[in-house]
Amino acid sequence: MHKSKLAGFIVDCNTDDLPSAAAFWGGALGMEVQSLPGEEGTKYIGLIDRNDALDIEVQTVSHPSRVHLDIETDNIEAEVARLEALGAKRVQRVKSWWVMEAPTGQRFCVVRAEDSPNFRSKATIWP
């Protein structure tokens, strides 16, 4: 058995001005912009969900701009296999997570559940 749930979403921005992109999305979504620490802060800027339900970040990318979902899990390989059984395909392993593609073409990531405050209580348990 393993658990998974929607972790949040990432706004992929093909831009050289990540702070301006984050300011736009923070304003559009009514969320405070938050710098992230260390190396992560050079590529990502966080947006604070006041309900503490979703992890939302703005990311600089070299591919076309888009929005992608992150699914968090306590067992990445089991969750990837479950999603493949539903028709998803593995696209690329990046560090500890998988970039996947839905049968309809949307990209999403399967990531490790780390500090999610409500993972244990909100995640779906899969056989």
Side-chain angles (χ1 to χ4, degrees), residues 101-116:
E101 185 173 284
T104 50
Q106 293 90 351
R107 298 273 173 105
F108 61 97
C109 294
V110 177
V111 301
R112 198 177 28 208
E114 292 185 43
D115 299 323
S116 178

Side-chain angles (χ1 to χ4, degrees), residues 76-98:
I76 290 178
E77 286 305 315
E79 182 66 3
V80 166
R82 183 184 78 80
L83 295 164
E84 286 176 318
L86 294 172
K89 296 179 206 169
R90 295 177 197 229
V91 174
Q92 179 182 4
R93 185 164 182 91
V94 179
K95 298 182 183 181
S96 63
W97 66 88
W98 273 100

Side-chain angles (χ1 to χ4, degrees), residues 3 30 42 81 101-102 120 125:
K3 292 182 174 184
T42 64
E101 185 173 284
R120 290 182 188 217
I125 299 172

Side-chain angles (χ1 to χ4, degrees), residues 15-127:
T15 182
D16 292 329
D17 189 358
L18 188 60
S20 291
F24 169 80
W25 284 106
L29 299 173
M31 296 179 166
E32 183 182 336
V33 174
Q34 177 183 37
S35 296
L36 299 176
E39 185 181 326
E40 186 179 24
T42 64
K43 190 170 178 174
Y44 300 90
I45 295 177
L47 301 179
I48 298 174
D49 175 10
R50 285 185 230 131
N51 296 316
D52 231 5
L54 296 173
D55 179 46
I56 303 166
E57 296 176 0
V58 179
Q59 169 183 219
T60 185
V61 296
S62 58
H63 59 70
S65 296
R66 62 183 178 221
V67 174
H68 78 262
L69 301 176
D70 280 357
I71 296 173
E72 64 182 339
T73 182
D74 57 3
N75 185 327
I76 290 178
E77 286 305 315
E79 182 66 3
V80 166
R82 183 184 78 80
L83 295 164
E84 286 176 318
L86 294 172
K89 296 179 206 169
R90 295 177 197 229
V91 174
Q92 179 182 4
R93 185 164 182 91
V94 179
K95 298 182 183 181
S96 63
W97 66 88
W98 273 100
V99 177
M100 305 287 292
E101 185 173 284
T104 50
Q106 293 90 351
R107 298 273 173 105
F108 61 97
C109 294
V110 177
V111 301
R112 198 177 28 208
E114 292 185 43
D115 299 323
S116 178
N118 56 13
F119 179 77
R120 290 182 188 217
S121 63
K122 300 289 185 184
T124 300
I125 299 172
W126 304 101

